[in-house]
Amino acid sequence: MKLLLGQTLSFIADPFDTDPLDSITHHSHGGVLLEGDKILAVDDGETLRAAYPEASVHDYGQGLITAGFIDAHAHYPQTAMINSWGKRLIDWLSDYTFPEESRFADLTYAEKIAELYFDLVLSNGTTSVCSYCTIHPESVEALFNAASKRNIRTFAGKTCMDRNAPENLRDTPQSAYDQSKALLQKW
């Protein structure tokens, strides 16, 4: 059992249905009690310390402890091209996106970027993601394998694209269906 101490912030109601200040609970000296990867309790830190004296304690001081963030729209194949610049969308796609996404047919490359991607999102407190992959099933395999190693909740699938892209980034409706079905059955 582990007890994390610090400021805690919990969301207890929908801020659109009530006064936003009534939708949160903040403890300036709070605690989060863990057993394995399960949260057992969130409360005042001293209350939890007294109730669970056997718990090992990690004190973050005034650091904020809150739930992990959720990224609801990501493109992990674009990790290596963050901050690439283009005058118009088509320039950006042609100069950066399409060449980079073509590389995801190589499972080794896709795995390298998936590992980097999750290192980056975790370092910023993101613990759940919804990400586009490329048309390559390898890109999906790499993402789910990396997520599984880290126990990160991930919603993803292959991109299905049969036009307006270079030939090596297009599939057919049938191949998109077949590959997506196989990935869905596996993952």
Side-chain angles (χ1 to χ4, degrees):
M1 204 172 295
K2 182 187 286 186
L3 177 60
L4 309 178
L5 298 175
Q7 292 188 65
T8 58
L9 180 65
S10 300
F11 297 88
I12 57 172
D14 185 335
F16 295 104
D17 291 340
T18 184
D19 183 307
L21 293 178
D22 292 335
S23 68
I24 61 169
T25 298
H26 174 258
H27 291 282
S28 57
H29 301 287
V32 178
L33 183 67
L34 304 170
E35 186 162 46
D37 60 357
K38 302 280 187 218
I39 297 173
L40 298 182
V42 178
D43 202 341
D44 175 74
E46 290 309 313
T47 301
L48 290 173
R49 188 179 275 207
Y52 300 93
E54 72 282 6
S56 63
V57 175
H58 186 96
D59 193 337
Y60 289 98
Q62 288 300 302
L64 177 65
I65 303 169
T66 187
F69 298 115
I70 299 169
D71 187 340
H73 182 119
H75 294 257
Y76 105 87
Q78 296 177 8
T79 301
M81 50 179 273
I82 293 172
N83 292 327
S84 299
W85 182 80
K87 293 179 188 172
R88 299 175 304 154
L89 177 59
I90 193 63
D91 296 328
W92 185 74
L93 290 169
S94 298
D95 293 345
Y96 303 108
T97 306
F98 292 150
E100 179 61 18
E101 290 190 1
S102 295
R103 299 178 75 185
F104 283 77
D106 175 5
L107 179 60
T108 302
Y109 184 75
E111 289 171 337
K112 175 184 164 190
I113 298 301
E115 296 288 337
L116 173 62
Y117 172 74
F118 282 123
D119 288 347
L120 291 169
V121 299
L122 280 172
S123 72
N124 288 287
T126 300
T127 58
S128 298
V129 299
C130 181
S131 179
Y132 289 91
C133 298
T134 70
I135 69 149
H136 311 100
E138 297 86 352
S139 70
V140 181
E141 293 284 349
L143 187 71
F144 280 128
N145 282 326
S148 293
K149 285 187 218 172
R150 293 167 172 82
N151 198 26
I152 295 176
R153 178 169 288 153
T154 302
F155 300 90
K158 75 181 244 54
T159 296
C160 303
M161 188 163 46
D162 66 354
R163 63 180 68 110
N164 301 325
E167 183 64 34
N168 65 343
L169 287 176
R170 286 186 278 181
D171 52 7
T172 67
Q174 189 62 55
S175 65
Y177 174 83
D178 293 342
Q179 291 170 349
S180 294
K181 182 178 179 181
L183 289 162
L184 180 62
Q185 289 172 335
K186 178 176 182 181
W187 293 103

